Amino acid sequence: MAMLEVNNIHTYYGNIHALKGVSITVEEKEIVTLIGGNGAGKTSTLRTISGLLKPRLGDIYFEGEKISDTPAHELVYKGITMVPEGRGIFARLTVFENLDMGAYSQPDRFTFDDDLDRVYQLFPRLKEREKQVSGTLSGGEQQMLATARALMANPRLLLMDEPSMGLAPILVESVFETIVEINKTGTTILLVEQNATVALSVANRGYVLQTGEIVLKDSAENLRKDEMVQKAYLGIE
Amino acid sequence: MKDLIKQGLRLGSIFGVVIIFLILFGLTSTLSDILGEFVNLESRTRTGNPGGLMILFALLSLWAGSSASASDRSNWKSALVSGVSVSLIIGLFVAAFILLVGFLDSADVEMRDYLAQLDHLSVQFLLYGRSLIAGVLITFGIFLIFGILGALLAYWYEAKQAGEVIQKQVLVLKEKALDSKLAKQYKENPRSKWIGYGLLGLVVFITPQFLGKYWNYAMGTVGIYVLMGLGLNIVVGLAGLLDLGYVAFFAIGAYTAGLLTAPAPLPLQIGFWPVLIFSIVMAAFAGILLGIPVLRMRGDYLAIVTLGFGEIIRVLIRSDMLAPYVGGPQGIRDIAGPSLFGIAFSGKAYLYLIIIAILLIILFTNYLQNSKVGRAWMAMREDETVAQAMGINTLYYKLMAFATGAAFAGLGGALFAARNQYTGPADHTLMVSINVLSLLIVGGMGSIPGVIVGAFVLKGLPEILRELDLYRLLVFGGLLVFMMIIRPEGIWPAPRRRMELHEGELDVLPPEESLVGKEG
Ligand SMILES: Nc1ncnc2c1ncn2[C@@H]1O[C@H](COP(=O)(O)OP(=O)(O)O)[C@@H](O)[C@H]1O
Ligand SMILES: [Mg+2]
């Protein structure tokens, strides 16, 4: 049984048919990437999985349990956390307060210090800026914070929406190194990206999304070799 | 040079027109009375205090002169040019106006038919009780002299050296204050904080002993507004939900207390204390009932729906249809007040009751704010979607904020009705909601001390300056506009909010505001 099973979901914004039967599976301990251009439906897919949007058709299973009717705020408790598009940090709260909010779902505060240590080890930069108001962080630091905040909830499945967005190439690289590191500690990752080059370099498998439909799925290696992918997403003629 | 004159002329005409308006409203005579009393001037005329009027004009032109010179204070010449141009224009405007009304008055034209404020006595007052020519010349002279003086004073204050010297002195003074032993002790000793609170509490508890009947009553009203302010502060300031119909819950509290304790229209006459609790519960319940359908909406929609709810409640309690049950336009009489050991509460005891209620509510709010609930509200106010993704049930916490705020208003309403031994539709107009929201804005959204300061400014000051009662709305609006421009975060804001509105000035929170270390 796959960890996450998305079965043929159709999601609408009013009359706009954003997802037209998307199916994705993610196995435990994998990094799976969903690549696609602007407006392909990547964010909609993540928002549907995380319960912020309801699919009109189709269903979603997490560890064998149906979650497509579960309200968003309950999913954290089941082990799914999202790093939203554009980071969505609480800009007016300090770095520490953001992390504290990330741990909101944690039942007791005893593990809080351990979690905080773990996260600070991964992002030493954040520890230095613990008391800084997070809106004044640089873009790269904000991405670190958004990721760190999600990790404070101890997720088993981490959904990431375009972590490379708006970052200089050198920062993108370091962000993706951390993603691999997070994955090594046993967290499964579903990574949504426009930047197919980096996404396919860290993922095990990938899906290609076009105007709300999956047009291709394969191992990351094969996708990198695929002619269509090379042309459309990797910038290779 | 040309620009300076132009700007002076523009500013001068604005000031001139505004002053003429003030005269037409009669506000000048009220203000001059207050000013005249302030400096103990005998009044020579029967309406208004001419000495006060001179002071008023002088102050206004000082202000005009200094703001006219703001554009260029690099040398005294440009300051002089601005001062002269602005004061000339104001002087001309006002003097011409006074000349005109003075002339018409001496020609026995009845201006009162058109402008209520311009009777013979008022015109005499505008002329300082002197002849037409003397009055006009005095006015013109005051504006000219003080306008120029204002510009030059501002120049002098800003002039580089003077400015630096003064700034340095201020800094030195500040450092000294911080270095003083008392301040150090205060900083080092957390117990001193509690001693401070204790002293404050003592003052609060002793003060009613020295207040007369009238002031006890007035302060009681302020206290009830503090209660409501604390409630709305949770809804708007902490949870970020704009509720414009807050008076509805005040009305529900008042009417629950009234209906259950008064002999008519329902012959129930239950005692005050159980009913007080019941009023709070009823208001909270109404908050939840309204909240369930409404809280899914955001921003503007929520504001409009709550506004409507407030009006519906008011219309219902007024209606003839429900009159047999709730008293209709006449309201409810003979509402029972509290008593302890068979002794009915006096005005003083009421004030104490209200003070105790406020203290309890402050403790409760503080507790909520620092608990998990407070964190959920904070996250929600920042970003609702992300808050959900963090595992916060936003609907639940919104309902909770709404119900808590409603409960506080219910408590306020019950105390209000019991104190007055009467309540009716006129007590529950939209104006109450507006007042409470305004006191939050003026005091400082999200801040408990801000609520208290705001209630005193908006409900207490009007009692002190009763002469201004006629202009309450004018002053009210002016104050709000003024606050938005000068200090949008309110008089005593929550540190976090101050930070939001002064971005870049402060990027590290003062330690006591951070959540670090709380809730270990
Ligand atoms: N809030 C919304 N309301 C209406 N249409 C939307 C909304 N959000 C996204 N869409 C539409 O849904 C489609 C998919 O959008 P999205 O999932 O954001 O794409 P991506 O994340 O891949 O850029 C687009 O056509 C977009 O215009
Ligand atoms: Mg997107």
Side-chain angles (χ1 to χ4, degrees):
Chain A
M1 179 189 63
M3 184 182 218
L4 179 75
E5 260 179 60
V6 177
N7 293 332
N8 193 28
I9 52 169
H10 291 256
T11 302
Y12 291 75
Y13 295 96
N15 306 328
I16 301 170
H17 197 171
L19 299 183
K20 302 162 186 160
V22 171
S23 299
I24 296 172
T25 55
V26 180
E27 302 287 343
E28 201 159 352
K29 308 267 194 291
E30 266 190 321
I31 299 182
V32 173
T33 185
L34 182 64
I35 55 181
N38 217 346
K42 305 182 297 295
T43 299
S44 307
T45 308
L46 281 200
R47 289 172 72 90
T48 312
I49 295 171
S50 63
L52 293 166
L53 294 170
K54 294 269 166 277
R56 204 174 281 180
L57 260 177
D59 37 39
I60 304 169
Y61 289 87
F62 178 66
E63 294 179 334
E65 186 187 352
K66 187 171 170 182
I67 57 164
S68 30
D69 298 324
T70 311
H73 61 88
E74 282 176 24
L75 285 180
V76 195
Y77 299 89
K78 298 193 188 294
I80 304 178
T81 309
M82 180 166 68
V83 182
E85 184 176 44
R87 339 219 196 282
I89 54 163
F90 298 120
R92 292 176 290 200
L93 305 194
T94 64
V95 168
F96 176 86
E97 287 166 336
N98 265 277
L99 296 176
D100 188 33
M101 290 295 183
Y104 192 88
S105 55
Q106 298 306 291
D108 61 55
R109 308 275 296 170
F110 295 118
T111 59
F112 180 81
D113 289 346
D114 292 341
D115 292 339
L116 195 65
D117 277 348
R118 188 167 48 87
V119 162
Y120 278 157
Q121 239 162 39
L122 208 50
F123 303 103
R125 194 56 166 271
L126 292 181
K127 188 172 168 62
E128 288 164 29
R129 319 222 154 211
E130 192 171 45
K131 291 194 176 137
Q132 187 169 333
V133 172
S134 57
T136 61
L137 296 174
S138 73
E141 289 163 346
Q142 292 192 3
Q143 184 57 51
M144 290 179 201
L145 179 58
T147 312
R149 186 182 57 188
L151 291 179
M152 290 300 288
N154 285 307
R156 285 196 299 282
L157 173 63
L158 186 62
L159 310 174
M160 302 187 81
D161 196 345
E162 295 207 43
S164 77
M165 191 195 261
L167 295 186
I170 187 165
L171 284 175
V172 172
E173 217 165 280
S174 92
V175 165
F176 278 74
E177 274 165 24
T178 351
I179 292 176
V180 173
E181 233 173 290
I182 294 168
N183 176 248
K184 276 190 186 139
T185 63
T187 312
T188 313
I189 293 173
L190 175 57
L191 172 68
V192 150
E193 261 301 342
Q194 251 189 89
N195 187 338
T197 319
V198 271
L200 289 174
S201 73
V202 300
N204 307 106
R205 292 187 302 114
Y207 292 80
V208 178
L209 191 64
Q210 257 171 25
T211 54
E213 281 171 290
I214 302 282
V215 292
L216 205 57
K217 63 169 188 176
D218 212 330
S219 70
E221 214 178 297
N222 287 343
L223 284 179
R224 259 176 308 189
K225 288 186 213 143
D226 186 276
E227 210 170 299
M228 189 278 275
V229 174
Q230 288 189 343
K231 237 186 190 162
Y233 301 104
L234 299 176
I236 303 170
E237 287 297 321
Chain B
M1 188 73 168
K2 227 175 166 182
D3 283 346
L4 283 179
I5 296 177
K6 231 183 185 168
Q7 197 175 358
L9 297 187
R10 216 186 41 162
L11 195 68
S13 46
I14 295 174
F15 263 87
V17 170
V18 169
I19 292 171
I20 292 172
F21 263 112
L22 292 183
I23 294 172
L24 288 176
F25 277 121
L27 193 57
T28 39
S29 67
T30 316
L31 286 174
S32 60
D33 274 340
I34 295 173
L35 284 171
E37 250 175 66
F38 202 68
V39 292
N40 261 325
L41 281 179
E42 283 286 314
S43 180
R44 283 168 52 113
T45 49
R46 276 196 281 152
T47 4
N49 188 324
L53 184 63
M54 290 186 196
I55 297 175
L56 179 66
F57 282 167
L59 288 176
L60 284 172
S61 56
L62 276 175
W63 178 19
S66 71
S67 49
S69 73
S71 54
D72 183 6
R73 285 179 188 154
S74 54
N75 59 63
W76 66 271
K77 274 184 205 152
S78 41
L80 187 66
V81 171
S82 316
V84 170
S85 46
V86 76
S87 54
L88 258 179
I89 289 298
I90 306 180
L92 277 178
F93 262 77
V94 181
F97 172 75
I98 290 176
L99 183 66
L100 179 70
V101 296
F103 175 73
L104 289 175
D105 183 62
S106 61
D108 279 334
V109 177
E110 266 296 341
M111 284 172 289
R112 286 184 65 180
D113 296 347
Y114 314 104
L115 297 162
Q117 291 294 334
L118 290 180
D119 54 3
H120 180 68
L121 283 175
S122 303
V123 174
Q124 283 306 303
F125 156 69
L126 287 176
L127 295 173
Y128 315 101
R130 296 166 211 265
S131 71
L132 180 59
I133 300 300
V136 170
L137 284 181
I138 289 173
T139 303
F140 190 70
I142 288 177
F143 278 111
L144 198 61
I145 291 168
F146 283 92
I148 295 170
L149 196 63
L152 290 179
L153 278 177
Y155 158 73
W156 172 77
Y157 185 79
E158 279 258 319
K160 269 221 156 119
Q161 281 165 335
E164 264 172 17
V165 170
I166 290 174
Q167 263 174 6
K168 257 189 200 151
Q169 277 171 348
V170 169
L171 271 184
V172 169
L173 279 179
K174 264 191 188 160
E175 267 168 31
K176 265 192 186 156
L178 284 179
D179 266 354
S180 77
K181 275 204 174 126
L182 190 73
K184 260 194 185 150
Q185 253 179 1
Y186 187 83
K187 257 194 263 172
E188 281 159 16
N189 186 358
R191 225 180 295 161
S192 58
K193 202 167 161 185
W194 290 105
I195 294 175
Y197 283 146
L199 280 178
L200 189 73
L202 210 63
V203 170
V204 166
F205 271 92
I206 288 178
T207 314
Q209 293 297 336
F210 297 99
L211 296 179
K213 214 172 180 173
Y214 171 74
W215 282 106
N216 261 321
Y217 185 85
M219 287 303 118
T221 308
V222 172
I224 284 167
Y225 270 86
V226 171
L227 277 179
M228 286 202 283
L230 288 169
L232 194 63
N233 181 45
I234 288 184
V235 182
V236 185
L238 299 186
L241 307 165
L242 186 52
D243 178 357
L244 294 183
Y246 193 57
V247 65
F249 306 115
F250 181 68
I252 288 169
Y255 266 76
T256 307
L259 289 173
L260 295 185
T261 63
L266 307 178
L268 293 169
Q269 289 190 274
I270 305 170
F272 171 81
W273 297 107
V275 167
L276 184 66
I277 306 292
F278 194 64
S279 308
I280 299 171
V281 174
M282 279 297 284
F285 187 62
I288 292 172
L289 274 191
L290 174 69
I292 287 172
V294 154
L295 287 177
R296 290 173 201 278
M297 302 177 197
R298 291 188 188 200
D300 314 348
Y301 298 108
L302 180 65
I304 291 166
V305 173
T306 49
L307 180 74
F309 181 67
E311 280 301 287
I312 289 172
I313 295 288
R314 191 182 61 84
V315 168
L316 281 181
I317 56 184
R318 251 193 83 92
S319 71
D320 291 331
M321 182 184 74
L322 290 180
Y325 313 105
V326 298
Q330 272 85 43
I332 308 168
R333 268 167 235 290
D334 302 320
I335 295 173
S339 59
L340 265 188
F341 314 115
I343 306 166
F345 272 38
S346 63
K348 214 173 274 173
Y350 259 117
L351 190 52
Y352 280 118
L353 182 63
I354 292 171
I355 291 173
I356 290 170
I358 291 174
L359 289 180
L360 288 178
I361 296 274
I362 288 178
L363 287 178
F364 183 62
T365 307
N366 236 328
Y367 164 75
L368 276 184
Q369 215 173 336
N370 295 325
S371 72
K372 210 165 172 173
V373 179
R375 290 198 298 151
W377 284 337
M378 185 147 77
M380 234 163 65
R381 207 174 48 206
E382 287 282 314
D383 187 325
E384 222 182 301
T385 315
V386 180
Q388 260 177 322
M390 301 289 104
I392 294 165
N393 185 347
T394 50
L395 192 62
Y396 172 80
Y397 283 108
K398 279 185 189 179
L399 259 187
M400 182 157 175
F402 219 59
T404 312
F408 294 179
L411 171 64
L415 288 174
F416 185 74
R419 184 193 62 171
N420 296 358
Q421 298 180 1
Y422 166 80
T423 193
D427 290 343
H428 308 291
T429 58
L430 177 61
M431 203 55 205
V432 177
S433 301
I434 294 176
N435 268 318
V436 180
L437 194 62
S438 307
L439 79 84
L440 283 187
I441 294 170
V442 170
M445 201 68 88
S447 144
I448 293 173
V451 168
I452 297 170
V453 173
F456 268 95
V457 170
L458 283 190
K459 295 307 286 188
L461 273 190
E463 298 290 345
I464 295 168
L465 301 174
R466 284 178 74 73
E467 288 96 339
L468 280 177
D469 208 41
L470 253 175
Y471 309 101
R472 184 178 274 197
L473 281 179
L474 190 71
V475 172
F476 205 65
L479 187 66
L480 280 183
V481 172
F482 185 74
M483 287 299 299
M484 286 296 107
I485 294 169
I486 304 296
R487 207 176 153 81
E489 70 271 35
I491 298 173
W492 191 328
R496 194 179 299 283
R497 223 181 132 68
R498 187 162 61 224
M499 188 177 68
E500 285 164 24
L501 289 162
H502 293 269
E503 247 166 83
E505 286 170 29
L506 190 73
D507 60 2
V508 178
L509 268 184
E512 75 268 20
E513 263 304 298
S514 162
L515 289 168
V516 180
K518 279 183 189 164
E519 226 195 279

